[in-house]
Amino acid sequence: MEGVHYMAFLELKNISYKYPTSDDWIVKNINIQIEKGSFWAIIGKNGSGKTTICNIIRGFAPDFFKGTIDGQVIVDNKNLNDYKEGERATKIGFVFQNPFTQISGVKETVYDEIAFGLENLGLEESYIRSKVEETLNLVDINHLRNKNPFELSGGQRQRVSLASIIAMEPEILVIDEPTSQLDPEGTEKIFKIIETMKNKGKTIILIEHKIELIAEYADNIIVIDEGEIILRGETKDILNNKVLLEKEIGLPQYAILGYQLRSKGFDIPIPTTEKEAMQIILEIMQKKVIE
């Protein structure tokens, strides 16, 4: 639609890409328009091209990974190639799946680790101190400030990684499977931080396998299969689509419950979140009592 195209803050236009070692295109003819301040999740099976798309958005592909790329990435009405690296860091922050990849390895405390990116941007010391304090509190890791990043648990290290990017105030946050190594409590903390960033007006692009959490937090979803977009749209519309089962990507357990209830003759909408499912079950029970 023209309106969406005009409002896009981030746009991928006819993007295809292959790595130097590959004969085949890893992603093919990708067109994405994302509005400022929205929260998009990218889902698909392993190897479908999700991480490659994130690498393209950040400019790591082809700058770091090399390879061949067709098409354009437009950020804030400007071609990504026209941004200097320092400008890119303040426009787009990338949080890696493995926090070991994110930790610099040259700083001995969490405080200094979070300050590191800001120092590289050449910002004033007073601003850096203020921003680090703000971020420690925002991400709820003030108690870790004097710890060595490499002595932390996986969940703590992932929050430090996220904090180091958040501190630089990028307008777009690209986050690649941040909870893959975390327990439920750590996962919930990461999603709460991401939600806080969205509420601050940041644009979020998240790769995540935990469909139930995607259903709860994301505004919109892009589904990738074999390097191509097969579905896109509002979360509630995508996560009750049986194509996700056919493609072995999976549906939220609440949507599966909804389809099971339908098969038993209940005329209900398909829920995608726990709250929706509980409401439907409550209405069914009330109806039974009345009957």
Side-chain angles (χ1 to χ4, degrees), residues 17 19-20 51-67 69 73 80-81 85 88-89 92-96 101-102 165 174 176:
Y17 174 79
Y19 291 102
T51 294
T52 297
I53 290 172
C54 287
N55 285 330
I56 290 167
I57 290 171
R58 181 53 184 85
F60 294 147
D63 289 5
F64 177 76
F65 293 106
K66 307 306 179 187
I69 191 166
V73 179
L80 184 64
N81 293 332
E85 184 52 39
R88 284 189 193 181
I92 308 170
F94 194 111
V95 181
F96 293 90
T101 309
Q102 201 96 41
I165 298 301
V174 181
D176 187 1

PDB file of all heavy atoms in Angstrom, residues 17 19-20 51-67 69 73 80-81 85 88-89 92-96 101-102 165 174 176:
ATOM      1  N   TYR A  17      20.254 -12.010  -1.453  1.00  0.00           N
ATOM      2  CA  TYR A  17      21.634 -12.078  -0.950  1.00  0.00           C
ATOM      3  C   TYR A  17      22.114 -13.523  -0.937  1.00  0.00           C
ATOM      4  O   TYR A  17      21.359 -14.447  -0.634  1.00  0.00           O
ATOM      5  CB  TYR A  17      21.713 -11.503   0.473  1.00  0.00           C
ATOM      6  CG  TYR A  17      23.070 -11.666   1.115  1.00  0.00           C
ATOM      7  CD1 TYR A  17      24.122 -10.808   0.802  1.00  0.00           C
ATOM      8  CD2 TYR A  17      23.309 -12.688   2.024  1.00  0.00           C
ATOM      9  CE1 TYR A  17      25.377 -10.972   1.381  1.00  0.00           C
ATOM     10  CE2 TYR A  17      24.551 -12.866   2.611  1.00  0.00           C
ATOM     11  CZ  TYR A  17      25.586 -12.002   2.280  1.00  0.00           C
ATOM     12  OH  TYR A  17      26.834 -12.169   2.840  1.00  0.00           O
ATOM     13  N   TYR A  19      25.825 -15.741   0.360  1.00  0.00           N
ATOM     14  CA  TYR A  19      27.154 -15.693   0.973  1.00  0.00           C
ATOM     15  C   TYR A  19      28.210 -16.104  -0.048  1.00  0.00           C
ATOM     16  O   TYR A  19      27.893 -16.758  -1.056  1.00  0.00           O
ATOM     17  CB  TYR A  19      27.192 -16.631   2.186  1.00  0.00           C
ATOM     18  CG  TYR A  19      26.350 -16.146   3.347  1.00  0.00           C
ATOM     19  CD1 TYR A  19      25.098 -16.703   3.610  1.00  0.00           C
ATOM     20  CD2 TYR A  19      26.799 -15.123   4.177  1.00  0.00           C
ATOM     21  CE1 TYR A  19      24.319 -16.254   4.679  1.00  0.00           C
ATOM     22  CE2 TYR A  19      26.026 -14.673   5.240  1.00  0.00           C
ATOM     23  CZ  TYR A  19      24.792 -15.231   5.483  1.00  0.00           C
ATOM     24  OH  TYR A  19      24.026 -14.784   6.534  1.00  0.00           O
ATOM     25  N   PRO A  20      29.474 -15.742   0.192  1.00  0.00           N
ATOM     26  CA  PRO A  20      30.526 -16.061  -0.788  1.00  0.00           C
ATOM     27  C   PRO A  20      30.660 -17.559  -1.059  1.00  0.00           C
ATOM     28  O   PRO A  20      31.056 -17.960  -2.143  1.00  0.00           O
ATOM     29  CB  PRO A  20      31.807 -15.520  -0.127  1.00  0.00           C
ATOM     30  CG  PRO A  20      31.373 -14.642   0.975  1.00  0.00           C
ATOM     31  CD  PRO A  20      29.974 -14.991   1.345  1.00  0.00           C
ATOM     32  N   THR A  51      18.195 -14.744  10.293  1.00  0.00           N
ATOM     33  CA  THR A  51      19.387 -14.036  10.769  1.00  0.00           C
ATOM     34  C   THR A  51      20.066 -13.286   9.631  1.00  0.00           C
ATOM     35  O   THR A  51      20.583 -12.182   9.824  1.00  0.00           O
ATOM     36  CB  THR A  51      20.373 -15.024  11.435  1.00  0.00           C
ATOM     37  OG1 THR A  51      19.769 -15.534  12.631  1.00  0.00           O
ATOM     38  CG2 THR A  51      21.676 -14.333  11.804  1.00  0.00           C
ATOM     39  N   THR A  52      20.041 -13.862   8.442  1.00  0.00           N
ATOM     40  CA  THR A  52      20.624 -13.180   7.280  1.00  0.00           C
ATOM     41  C   THR A  52      19.929 -11.842   7.033  1.00  0.00           C
ATOM     42  O   THR A  52      20.591 -10.835   6.756  1.00  0.00           O
ATOM     43  CB  THR A  52      20.516 -14.073   6.029  1.00  0.00           C
ATOM     44  OG1 THR A  52      21.280 -15.256   6.241  1.00  0.00           O
ATOM     45  CG2 THR A  52      21.042 -13.350   4.798  1.00  0.00           C
ATOM     46  N   ILE A  53      18.607 -11.823   7.146  1.00  0.00           N
ATOM     47  CA  ILE A  53      17.863 -10.564   6.966  1.00  0.00           C
ATOM     48  C   ILE A  53      18.305  -9.539   8.008  1.00  0.00           C
ATOM     49  O   ILE A  53      18.519  -8.359   7.691  1.00  0.00           O
ATOM     50  CB  ILE A  53      16.344 -10.810   7.043  1.00  0.00           C
ATOM     51  CG1 ILE A  53      15.884 -11.580   5.794  1.00  0.00           C
ATOM     52  CG2 ILE A  53      15.569  -9.497   7.155  1.00  0.00           C
ATOM     53  CD1 ILE A  53      14.447 -12.046   5.841  1.00  0.00           C
ATOM     54  N   CYS A  54      18.483  -9.983   9.254  1.00  0.00           N
ATOM     55  CA  CYS A  54      18.942  -9.063  10.299  1.00  0.00           C
ATOM     56  C   CYS A  54      20.357  -8.554  10.006  1.00  0.00           C
ATOM     57  O   CYS A  54      20.668  -7.375  10.224  1.00  0.00           O
ATOM     58  CB  CYS A  54      18.892  -9.750  11.660  1.00  0.00           C
ATOM     59  SG  CYS A  54      17.219  -9.981  12.289  1.00  0.00           S
ATOM     60  N   ASN A  55      21.220  -9.434   9.508  1.00  0.00           N
ATOM     61  CA  ASN A  55      22.577  -9.015   9.146  1.00  0.00           C
ATOM     62  C   ASN A  55      22.567  -7.988   8.015  1.00  0.00           C
ATOM     63  O   ASN A  55      23.393  -7.074   7.969  1.00  0.00           O
ATOM     64  CB  ASN A  55      23.414 -10.232   8.732  1.00  0.00           C
ATOM     65  CG  ASN A  55      23.844 -11.069   9.924  1.00  0.00           C
ATOM     66  OD1 ASN A  55      24.022 -10.551  11.021  1.00  0.00           O
ATOM     67  ND2 ASN A  55      24.006 -12.364   9.707  1.00  0.00           N
ATOM     68  N   ILE A  56      21.615  -8.130   7.106  1.00  0.00           N
ATOM     69  CA  ILE A  56      21.476  -7.175   6.006  1.00  0.00           C
ATOM     70  C   ILE A  56      20.993  -5.824   6.528  1.00  0.00           C
ATOM     71  O   ILE A  56      21.502  -4.772   6.131  1.00  0.00           O
ATOM     72  CB  ILE A  56      20.514  -7.727   4.937  1.00  0.00           C
ATOM     73  CG1 ILE A  56      21.162  -8.902   4.203  1.00  0.00           C
ATOM     74  CG2 ILE A  56      20.103  -6.644   3.941  1.00  0.00           C
ATOM     75  CD1 ILE A  56      20.202  -9.722   3.360  1.00  0.00           C
ATOM     76  N   ILE A  57      20.028  -5.849   7.429  1.00  0.00           N
ATOM     77  CA  ILE A  57      19.496  -4.599   7.998  1.00  0.00           C
ATOM     78  C   ILE A  57      20.599  -3.825   8.700  1.00  0.00           C
ATOM     79  O   ILE A  57      20.668  -2.596   8.590  1.00  0.00           O
ATOM     80  CB  ILE A  57      18.334  -4.905   8.971  1.00  0.00           C
ATOM     81  CG1 ILE A  57      17.111  -5.412   8.206  1.00  0.00           C
ATOM     82  CG2 ILE A  57      17.966  -3.659   9.786  1.00  0.00           C
ATOM     83  CD1 ILE A  57      16.001  -5.947   9.097  1.00  0.00           C
ATOM     84  N   ARG A  58      21.472  -4.526   9.420  1.00  0.00           N
ATOM     85  CA  ARG A  58      22.547  -3.845  10.156  1.00  0.00           C
ATOM     86  C   ARG A  58      23.735  -3.504   9.253  1.00  0.00           C
ATOM     87  O   ARG A  58      24.608  -2.721   9.620  1.00  0.00           O
ATOM     88  CB  ARG A  58      22.996  -4.720  11.330  1.00  0.00           C
ATOM     89  CG  ARG A  58      24.092  -4.112  12.204  1.00  0.00           C
ATOM     90  CD  ARG A  58      23.768  -2.719  12.714  1.00  0.00           C
ATOM     91  NE  ARG A  58      24.877  -2.150  13.474  1.00  0.00           N
ATOM     92  CZ  ARG A  58      25.908  -1.513  12.954  1.00  0.00           C
ATOM     93  NH1 ARG A  58      26.017  -1.386  11.627  1.00  0.00           N
ATOM     94  NH2 ARG A  58      26.848  -1.015  13.722  1.00  0.00           N
ATOM     95  N   GLY A  59      23.787  -4.108   8.065  1.00  0.00           N
ATOM     96  CA  GLY A  59      24.894  -3.830   7.157  1.00  0.00           C
ATOM     97  C   GLY A  59      26.041  -4.812   7.277  1.00  0.00           C
ATOM     98  O   GLY A  59      27.048  -4.699   6.578  1.00  0.00           O
ATOM     99  N   PHE A  60      25.910  -5.808   8.191  1.00  0.00           N
ATOM    100  CA  PHE A  60      26.968  -6.812   8.324  1.00  0.00           C
ATOM    101  C   PHE A  60      27.085  -7.658   7.053  1.00  0.00           C
ATOM    102  O   PHE A  60      28.158  -8.179   6.746  1.00  0.00           O
ATOM    103  CB  PHE A  60      26.692  -7.727   9.520  1.00  0.00           C
ATOM    104  CG  PHE A  60      26.756  -7.011  10.851  1.00  0.00           C
ATOM    105  CD1 PHE A  60      25.936  -7.393  11.899  1.00  0.00           C
ATOM    106  CD2 PHE A  60      27.632  -5.960  11.060  1.00  0.00           C
ATOM    107  CE1 PHE A  60      25.993  -6.747  13.122  1.00  0.00           C
ATOM    108  CE2 PHE A  60      27.705  -5.308  12.278  1.00  0.00           C
ATOM    109  CZ  PHE A  60      26.877  -5.705  13.314  1.00  0.00           C
ATOM    110  N   ALA A  61      25.957  -7.838   6.382  1.00  0.00           N
ATOM    111  CA  ALA A  61      25.965  -8.496   5.072  1.00  0.00           C
ATOM    112  C   ALA A  61      25.592  -7.426   4.042  1.00  0.00           C
ATOM    113  O   ALA A  61      24.521  -6.837   4.150  1.00  0.00           O
ATOM    114  CB  ALA A  61      24.957  -9.654   5.043  1.00  0.00           C
ATOM    115  N   PRO A  62      26.502  -7.102   3.135  1.00  0.00           N
ATOM    116  CA  PRO A  62      27.730  -7.827   2.798  1.00  0.00           C
ATOM    117  C   PRO A  62      29.013  -7.249   3.413  1.00  0.00           C
ATOM    118  O   PRO A  62      30.087  -7.803   3.169  1.00  0.00           O
ATOM    119  CB  PRO A  62      27.786  -7.680   1.280  1.00  0.00           C
ATOM    120  CG  PRO A  62      27.234  -6.298   1.046  1.00  0.00           C
ATOM    121  CD  PRO A  62      26.160  -6.101   2.102  1.00  0.00           C
ATOM    122  N   ASP A  63      28.945  -6.179   4.205  1.00  0.00           N
ATOM    123  CA  ASP A  63      30.176  -5.499   4.648  1.00  0.00           C
ATOM    124  C   ASP A  63      31.148  -6.445   5.352  1.00  0.00           C
ATOM    125  O   ASP A  63      32.353  -6.424   5.082  1.00  0.00           O
ATOM    126  CB  ASP A  63      29.839  -4.331   5.568  1.00  0.00           C
ATOM    127  CG  ASP A  63      29.192  -3.172   4.828  1.00  0.00           C
ATOM    128  OD1 ASP A  63      28.931  -3.323   3.615  1.00  0.00           O
ATOM    129  OD2 ASP A  63      28.943  -2.126   5.442  1.00  0.00           O
ATOM    130  N   PHE A  64      30.639  -7.251   6.287  1.00  0.00           N
ATOM    131  CA  PHE A  64      31.492  -8.155   7.058  1.00  0.00           C
ATOM    132  C   PHE A  64      31.534  -9.553   6.444  1.00  0.00           C
ATOM    133  O   PHE A  64      32.598 -10.141   6.284  1.00  0.00           O
ATOM    134  CB  PHE A  64      31.000  -8.226   8.513  1.00  0.00           C
ATOM    135  CG  PHE A  64      31.781  -9.185   9.360  1.00  0.00           C
ATOM    136  CD1 PHE A  64      33.048  -8.856   9.822  1.00  0.00           C
ATOM    137  CD2 PHE A  64      31.263 -10.426   9.690  1.00  0.00           C
ATOM    138  CE1 PHE A  64      33.782  -9.740  10.602  1.00  0.00           C
ATOM    139  CE2 PHE A  64      31.984 -11.327  10.469  1.00  0.00           C
ATOM    140  CZ  PHE A  64      33.250 -10.982  10.930  1.00  0.00           C
ATOM    141  N   PHE A  65      30.350 -10.077   6.102  1.00  0.00           N
ATOM    142  CA  PHE A  65      30.268 -11.448   5.590  1.00  0.00           C
ATOM    143  C   PHE A  65      30.589 -11.543   4.092  1.00  0.00           C
ATOM    144  O   PHE A  65      30.703 -12.644   3.560  1.00  0.00           O
ATOM    145  CB  PHE A  65      28.865 -12.020   5.838  1.00  0.00           C
ATOM    146  CG  PHE A  65      28.548 -12.222   7.288  1.00  0.00           C
ATOM    147  CD1 PHE A  65      27.683 -11.368   7.955  1.00  0.00           C
ATOM    148  CD2 PHE A  65      29.133 -13.261   7.997  1.00  0.00           C
ATOM    149  CE1 PHE A  65      27.391 -11.552   9.294  1.00  0.00           C
ATOM    150  CE2 PHE A  65      28.851 -13.458   9.336  1.00  0.00           C
ATOM    151  CZ  PHE A  65      27.976 -12.599   9.987  1.00  0.00           C
ATOM    152  N   LYS A  66      30.708 -10.366   3.455  1.00  0.00           N
ATOM    153  CA  LYS A  66      30.947 -10.306   1.992  1.00  0.00           C
ATOM    154  C   LYS A  66      29.761 -10.913   1.247  1.00  0.00           C
ATOM    155  O   LYS A  66      28.641 -10.819   1.687  1.00  0.00           O
ATOM    156  CB  LYS A  66      32.280 -10.973   1.618  1.00  0.00           C
ATOM    157  CG  LYS A  66      33.467 -10.431   2.401  1.00  0.00           C
ATOM    158  CD  LYS A  66      33.588  -8.915   2.315  1.00  0.00           C
ATOM    159  CE  LYS A  66      34.766  -8.395   3.135  1.00  0.00           C
ATOM    160  NZ  LYS A  66      34.764  -6.907   3.168  1.00  0.00           N
ATOM    161  N   GLY A  67      30.010 -11.550   0.123  1.00  0.00           N
ATOM    162  CA  GLY A  67      28.913 -12.117  -0.646  1.00  0.00           C
ATOM    163  C   GLY A  67      28.320 -11.122  -1.626  1.00  0.00           C
ATOM    164  O   GLY A  67      28.851 -10.031  -1.847  1.00  0.00           O
ATOM    165  N   ILE A  69      24.878  -8.976  -2.969  1.00  0.00           N
ATOM    166  CA  ILE A  69      23.574  -8.450  -2.566  1.00  0.00           C
ATOM    167  C   ILE A  69      22.960  -7.657  -3.705  1.00  0.00           C
ATOM    168  O   ILE A  69      23.653  -6.919  -4.408  1.00  0.00           O
ATOM    169  CB  ILE A  69      23.685  -7.586  -1.285  1.00  0.00           C
ATOM    170  CG1 ILE A  69      22.291  -7.277  -0.721  1.00  0.00           C
ATOM    171  CG2 ILE A  69      24.480  -6.316  -1.518  1.00  0.00           C
ATOM    172  CD1 ILE A  69      22.316  -6.729   0.692  1.00  0.00           C
ATOM    173  N   VAL A  73      18.619  -1.150   1.136  1.00  0.00           N
ATOM    174  CA  VAL A  73      18.112  -0.968   2.494  1.00  0.00           C
ATOM    175  C   VAL A  73      18.024   0.534   2.741  1.00  0.00           C
ATOM    176  O   VAL A  73      19.034   1.247   2.627  1.00  0.00           O
ATOM    177  CB  VAL A  73      19.038  -1.617   3.543  1.00  0.00           C
ATOM    178  CG1 VAL A  73      18.477  -1.388   4.953  1.00  0.00           C
ATOM    179  CG2 VAL A  73      19.199  -3.103   3.266  1.00  0.00           C
ATOM    180  N   LEU A  80      21.242   2.838   3.381  1.00  0.00           N
ATOM    181  CA  LEU A  80      22.122   2.404   4.474  1.00  0.00           C
ATOM    182  C   LEU A  80      23.593   2.596   4.119  1.00  0.00           C
ATOM    183  O   LEU A  80      24.415   2.915   4.983  1.00  0.00           O
ATOM    184  CB  LEU A  80      21.848   0.924   4.790  1.00  0.00           C
ATOM    185  CG  LEU A  80      22.611   0.323   5.970  1.00  0.00           C
ATOM    186  CD1 LEU A  80      22.219   0.996   7.278  1.00  0.00           C
ATOM    187  CD2 LEU A  80      22.373  -1.183   6.052  1.00  0.00           C
ATOM    188  N   ASN A  81      23.943   2.408   2.852  1.00  0.00           N
ATOM    189  CA  ASN A  81      25.340   2.555   2.422  1.00  0.00           C
ATOM    190  C   ASN A  81      25.855   3.988   2.564  1.00  0.00           C
ATOM    191  O   ASN A  81      27.064   4.216   2.563  1.00  0.00           O
ATOM    192  CB  ASN A  81      25.497   2.107   0.963  1.00  0.00           C
ATOM    193  CG  ASN A  81      25.260   0.621   0.787  1.00  0.00           C
ATOM    194  OD1 ASN A  81      25.484  -0.159   1.704  1.00  0.00           O
ATOM    195  ND2 ASN A  81      24.784   0.224  -0.382  1.00  0.00           N
ATOM    196  N   GLU A  85      29.883   4.362   9.648  1.00  0.00           N
ATOM    197  CA  GLU A  85      29.693   3.305  10.643  1.00  0.00           C
ATOM    198  C   GLU A  85      29.220   3.869  11.990  1.00  0.00           C
ATOM    199  O   GLU A  85      28.355   3.296  12.639  1.00  0.00           O
ATOM    200  CB  GLU A  85      30.990   2.509  10.842  1.00  0.00           C
ATOM    201  CG  GLU A  85      30.855   1.331  11.791  1.00  0.00           C
ATOM    202  CD  GLU A  85      29.710   0.385  11.447  1.00  0.00           C
ATOM    203  OE1 GLU A  85      29.477   0.116  10.252  1.00  0.00           O
ATOM    204  OE2 GLU A  85      29.040  -0.085  12.395  1.00  0.00           O
ATOM    205  N   ARG A  88      25.595   4.590  11.699  1.00  0.00           N
ATOM    206  CA  ARG A  88      24.811   3.339  11.716  1.00  0.00           C
ATOM    207  C   ARG A  88      24.581   2.860  13.148  1.00  0.00           C
ATOM    208  O   ARG A  88      23.506   2.382  13.483  1.00  0.00           O
ATOM    209  CB  ARG A  88      25.533   2.244  10.938  1.00  0.00           C
ATOM    210  CG  ARG A  88      25.456   2.377   9.440  1.00  0.00           C
ATOM    211  CD  ARG A  88      26.007   1.123   8.800  1.00  0.00           C
ATOM    212  NE  ARG A  88      26.241   1.287   7.373  1.00  0.00           N
ATOM    213  CZ  ARG A  88      26.697   0.335   6.574  1.00  0.00           C
ATOM    214  NH1 ARG A  88      26.967  -0.855   7.070  1.00  0.00           N
ATOM    215  NH2 ARG A  88      26.891   0.565   5.291  1.00  0.00           N
ATOM    216  N   ALA A  89      25.616   2.985  13.986  1.00  0.00           N
ATOM    217  CA  ALA A  89      25.515   2.496  15.368  1.00  0.00           C
ATOM    218  C   ALA A  89      24.454   3.250  16.156  1.00  0.00           C
ATOM    219  O   ALA A  89      23.857   2.692  17.079  1.00  0.00           O
ATOM    220  CB  ALA A  89      26.873   2.621  16.061  1.00  0.00           C
ATOM    221  N   ILE A  92      20.962   1.973  14.176  1.00  0.00           N
ATOM    222  CA  ILE A  92      20.582   0.560  14.292  1.00  0.00           C
ATOM    223  C   ILE A  92      21.488  -0.145  15.292  1.00  0.00           C
ATOM    224  O   ILE A  92      22.707  -0.194  15.106  1.00  0.00           O
ATOM    225  CB  ILE A  92      20.680  -0.159  12.932  1.00  0.00           C
ATOM    226  CG1 ILE A  92      19.904   0.595  11.847  1.00  0.00           C
ATOM    227  CG2 ILE A  92      20.169  -1.591  13.051  1.00  0.00           C
ATOM    228  CD1 ILE A  92      20.146   0.080  10.454  1.00  0.00           C
ATOM    229  N   GLY A  93      20.892  -0.693  16.340  1.00  0.00           N
ATOM    230  CA  GLY A  93      21.632  -1.506  17.302  1.00  0.00           C
ATOM    231  C   GLY A  93      21.332  -2.970  17.065  1.00  0.00           C
ATOM    232  O   GLY A  93      20.181  -3.346  16.818  1.00  0.00           O
ATOM    233  N   PHE A  94      22.342  -3.820  17.126  1.00  0.00           N
ATOM    234  CA  PHE A  94      22.180  -5.253  16.866  1.00  0.00           C
ATOM    235  C   PHE A  94      22.555  -6.023  18.127  1.00  0.00           C
ATOM    236  O   PHE A  94      23.662  -5.891  18.637  1.00  0.00           O
ATOM    237  CB  PHE A  94      23.083  -5.668  15.706  1.00  0.00           C
ATOM    238  CG  PHE A  94      22.769  -7.032  15.132  1.00  0.00           C
ATOM    239  CD1 PHE A  94      22.237  -7.170  13.860  1.00  0.00           C
ATOM    240  CD2 PHE A  94      23.008  -8.179  15.865  1.00  0.00           C
ATOM    241  CE1 PHE A  94      21.941  -8.423  13.326  1.00  0.00           C
ATOM    242  CE2 PHE A  94      22.724  -9.435  15.345  1.00  0.00           C
ATOM    243  CZ  PHE A  94      22.192  -9.556  14.078  1.00  0.00           C
ATOM    244  N   VAL A  95      21.627  -6.843  18.614  1.00  0.00           N
ATOM    245  CA  VAL A  95      21.889  -7.706  19.770  1.00  0.00           C
ATOM    246  C   VAL A  95      21.989  -9.138  19.272  1.00  0.00           C
ATOM    247  O   VAL A  95      21.032  -9.697  18.741  1.00  0.00           O
ATOM    248  CB  VAL A  95      20.783  -7.581  20.837  1.00  0.00           C
ATOM    249  CG1 VAL A  95      21.097  -8.482  22.031  1.00  0.00           C
ATOM    250  CG2 VAL A  95      20.637  -6.126  21.290  1.00  0.00           C
ATOM    251  N   PHE A  96      23.163  -9.736  19.453  1.00  0.00           N
ATOM    252  CA  PHE A  96      23.425 -11.080  18.921  1.00  0.00           C
ATOM    253  C   PHE A  96      22.773 -12.157  19.788  1.00  0.00           C
ATOM    254  O   PHE A  96      22.507 -11.955  20.977  1.00  0.00           O
ATOM    255  CB  PHE A  96      24.931 -11.337  18.858  1.00  0.00           C
ATOM    256  CG  PHE A  96      25.657 -10.489  17.864  1.00  0.00           C
ATOM    257  CD1 PHE A  96      26.166  -9.257  18.234  1.00  0.00           C
ATOM    258  CD2 PHE A  96      25.841 -10.916  16.561  1.00  0.00           C
ATOM    259  CE1 PHE A  96      26.846  -8.464  17.320  1.00  0.00           C
ATOM    260  CE2 PHE A  96      26.515 -10.143  15.641  1.00  0.00           C
ATOM    261  CZ  PHE A  96      27.019  -8.902  16.026  1.00  0.00           C
ATOM    262  N   THR A 101      29.442 -13.109  21.906  1.00  0.00           N
ATOM    263  CA  THR A 101      29.784 -12.368  20.685  1.00  0.00           C
ATOM    264  C   THR A 101      29.714 -10.871  20.923  1.00  0.00           C
ATOM    265  O   THR A 101      30.468 -10.098  20.328  1.00  0.00           O
ATOM    266  CB  THR A 101      28.817 -12.751  19.544  1.00  0.00           C
ATOM    267  OG1 THR A 101      28.780 -14.169  19.435  1.00  0.00           O
ATOM    268  CG2 THR A 101      29.250 -12.163  18.221  1.00  0.00           C
ATOM    269  N   GLN A 102      28.806 -10.463  21.815  1.00  0.00           N
ATOM    270  CA  GLN A 102      28.556  -9.047  22.041  1.00  0.00           C
ATOM    271  C   GLN A 102      29.559  -8.422  23.013  1.00  0.00           C
ATOM    272  O   GLN A 102      29.944  -7.272  22.877  1.00  0.00           O
ATOM    273  CB  GLN A 102      27.150  -8.862  22.629  1.00  0.00           C
ATOM    274  CG  GLN A 102      26.586  -7.464  22.455  1.00  0.00           C
ATOM    275  CD  GLN A 102      25.701  -7.349  21.240  1.00  0.00           C
ATOM    276  OE1 GLN A 102      24.916  -8.228  20.962  1.00  0.00           O
ATOM    277  NE2 GLN A 102      25.837  -6.267  20.513  1.00  0.00           N
ATOM    278  N   ILE A 165      23.925  -1.987  24.028  1.00  0.00           N
ATOM    279  CA  ILE A 165      23.341  -1.445  22.794  1.00  0.00           C
ATOM    280  C   ILE A 165      22.323  -0.357  23.122  1.00  0.00           C
ATOM    281  O   ILE A 165      22.318   0.714  22.502  1.00  0.00           O
ATOM    282  CB  ILE A 165      22.670  -2.581  21.982  1.00  0.00           C
ATOM    283  CG1 ILE A 165      23.706  -3.620  21.559  1.00  0.00           C
ATOM    284  CG2 ILE A 165      21.952  -2.011  20.759  1.00  0.00           C
ATOM    285  CD1 ILE A 165      24.845  -3.084  20.712  1.00  0.00           C
ATOM    286  N   VAL A 174      17.641  -4.364  16.469  1.00  0.00           N
ATOM    287  CA  VAL A 174      17.538  -5.659  15.799  1.00  0.00           C
ATOM    288  C   VAL A 174      18.068  -6.697  16.783  1.00  0.00           C
ATOM    289  O   VAL A 174      19.231  -6.643  17.185  1.00  0.00           O
ATOM    290  CB  VAL A 174      18.350  -5.682  14.490  1.00  0.00           C
ATOM    291  CG1 VAL A 174      18.217  -7.025  13.804  1.00  0.00           C
ATOM    292  CG2 VAL A 174      17.905  -4.556  13.561  1.00  0.00           C
ATOM    293  N   ASP A 176      18.470 -10.738  17.790  1.00  0.00           N
ATOM    294  CA  ASP A 176      18.473 -12.088  17.216  1.00  0.00           C
ATOM    295  C   ASP A 176      18.415 -13.145  18.320  1.00  0.00           C
ATOM    296  O   ASP A 176      19.403 -13.394  19.011  1.00  0.00           O
ATOM    297  CB  ASP A 176      19.736 -12.279  16.369  1.00  0.00           C
ATOM    298  CG  ASP A 176      19.739 -13.585  15.596  1.00  0.00           C
ATOM    299  OD1 ASP A 176      18.754 -14.346  15.695  1.00  0.00           O
ATOM    300  OD2 ASP A 176      20.730 -13.858  14.903  1.00  0.00           O
TER     301      ASP A 176
END
